[in-house]
Amino acid sequence: MAAVQRLLRAAASGGSAAARRRMTSLATEQAPSAAAGFPFAAEERARRLPMAERNVQWVFLGCPGVGKGTYASRLSRLLGVPHIATGDLVRDELASTGPLATQLAEIVNQGKLVSDEIIFNLLSKRLKKGEDQGESGFILDGFPRTVKQAEILDGVTDIDMVVNLKLREDVLVEKCLGRRICGQCGKNFNLACIDVKGENGLPAIYMEPLLPPNNCMSKLITRADDTEEVVRNRLRIYNDMSQPVEGFYREQGKLLEFDLPGGIPESWPKLLQVLNLEDQEELKLAAA
């Protein structure tokens, strides 16, 4: 499959020395059987660059609303690697005029799941575009979602680390119910001010709201599926699907579980600490 061939070639492009020093040395390469059925898999595995010669290749997992996109995008800027969310890839393709857009529209309109082949096609297309523009490495956001996808991905490229963001369910529900979108500019905000006391062995959590500017306040829209019943059901489905994927990477020694202690001001420095990273911009601001 040409998509698989492009995927590894793009993902294996070289990285900077600074980023290489930041990487965590983890488990050795495995060759899952699921990837063996994809043409070019063996050839592409042979072309992989060792970790010391490329940039980070990380995956971010976590329940809907936990903040994967927020922390993945911050790390992508810090490390100089692209932040790639497969949901964004699907939406971008749907908005295009390419032949795949028509096929995707039919799938989405019928409520069906997008196939692994299409997802990997979109991913390889994105990585190839980034490679041509000089990008190196990647941070995948919310992908893979199944063990099959993880096995295929593992068969054609090397994932260095999988960061699993975790947050207690009652806080997740409150966060999701507070989400709003500006109907004019399309930006995301959150009206929930979360102040949960610690009890029953669970820590206290405080998260400030992410309020919109005045010009967006009157144009806020609530997602139709952001009701408590739907959100809790969505979380149950995610947990059922994610546990095998987490186990897959845990067995490889690549899974890093990170319990968010609060909002961005509390969580970001601690996440950097466990990743052995420093945010130079924030250090400059603190010293000013």
Side-chain angles (χ1 to χ4, degrees):
M1 182 182 298
V4 175
Q5 187 176 22
R6 294 195 301 271
L7 173 61
L8 180 68
R9 186 168 62 249
S13 56
S16 66
R20 291 198 299 268
R21 288 196 296 270
R22 298 185 183 109
M23 292 192 302
T24 305
S25 180
L26 294 164
T28 57
E29 174 185 335
Q30 296 187 7
S33 58
F38 278 65
F40 310 113
E43 175 187 351
E44 294 304 322
R45 281 199 298 270
R47 297 181 185 177
R48 294 177 179 175
L49 291 177
M51 289 178 63
E53 297 180 19
R54 59 169 172 76
N55 212 325
V56 301
Q57 297 180 173
W58 291 352
V59 165
F60 264 64
L61 300 178
C63 290
V66 77
K68 295 185 298 295
T70 298
Y71 293 102
S73 61
R74 278 186 163 227
L75 281 169
S76 78
R77 293 192 296 270
L78 182 64
L79 298 173
V81 298
H83 164 219
I84 303 174
T86 52
D88 291 340
L89 297 182
V90 171
R91 284 186 286 272
D92 290 345
E93 190 66 30
L94 281 170
S96 73
T97 57
L100 186 56
T102 302
Q103 183 182 356
L104 270 176
E106 292 178 358
I107 293 171
V108 173
N109 291 337
Q110 294 173 11
K112 296 180 180 179
L113 293 175
V114 180
S115 70
D116 292 341
E117 182 176 356
I118 291 178
I119 291 296
F120 274 93
N121 192 310
L122 293 174
L123 181 57
S124 66
K125 179 180 175 181
R126 170 63 183 83
L127 291 174
K128 179 61 169 66
K129 177 182 177 182
E131 179 191 22
D132 293 342
Q133 296 175 347
E135 291 179 347
S136 171
F138 53 80
I139 296 179
L140 296 182
D141 174 357
F143 181 86
R145 296 181 181 272
T146 67
V147 170
K148 180 182 178 182
Q149 290 177 350
E151 289 175 339
I152 296 171
L153 183 64
D154 219 29
V156 296
T157 191
D158 292 310
I159 297 301
D160 306 321
M161 180 164 57
V162 178
V163 181
N164 188 27
L165 298 181
K166 303 175 74 175
L167 190 61
R168 46 191 284 187
E169 184 173 315
D170 56 337
V171 174
L172 275 169
V173 171
E174 194 171 345
K175 274 192 68 181
C176 289
L177 296 181
R179 293 191 296 195
R180 299 292 187 275
I181 302 171
C182 177
Q184 182 173 340
C185 70
K187 291 183 179 180
N188 294 286
F189 303 99
N190 201 302
L191 305 184
C193 180
I194 297 171
D195 189 2
V196 180
K197 296 180 180 180
E199 58 183 4
N200 300 324
L202 297 174
I205 293 181
Y206 178 76
M207 294 184 176
E208 293 184 349
L210 179 59
L211 298 176
N214 291 334
N215 59 310
C216 292
M217 185 64 77
S218 62
K219 306 176 184 68
L220 296 183
I221 299 172
T222 303
R223 284 176 42 169
D225 59 345
D226 272 351
T227 65
E228 183 170 352
E229 180 181 359
V230 171
V231 168
R232 289 192 183 276
N233 186 56
R234 194 187 302 149
L235 293 176
R236 282 194 296 270
I237 293 173
Y238 175 82
N239 287 327
D240 290 343
M241 292 182 62
S242 68
Q243 288 178 7
V245 179
E246 293 167 15
F248 176 83
Y249 287 116
R250 187 179 292 111
E251 289 179 2
Q252 294 186 358
K254 296 181 179 181
L255 188 71
L256 172 65
E257 311 241 31
F258 183 75
D259 289 285
L260 293 167
I264 294 174
E266 298 82 17
S267 300
W268 177 241
K270 293 185 178 180
L271 179 60
L272 292 179
Q273 184 178 8
V274 300
L275 293 175
N276 195 28
L277 298 173
E278 289 183 340
D279 190 331
Q280 296 298 328
E281 291 302 317
E282 289 203 355
L283 289 176
K284 290 178 184 177
L285 290 174

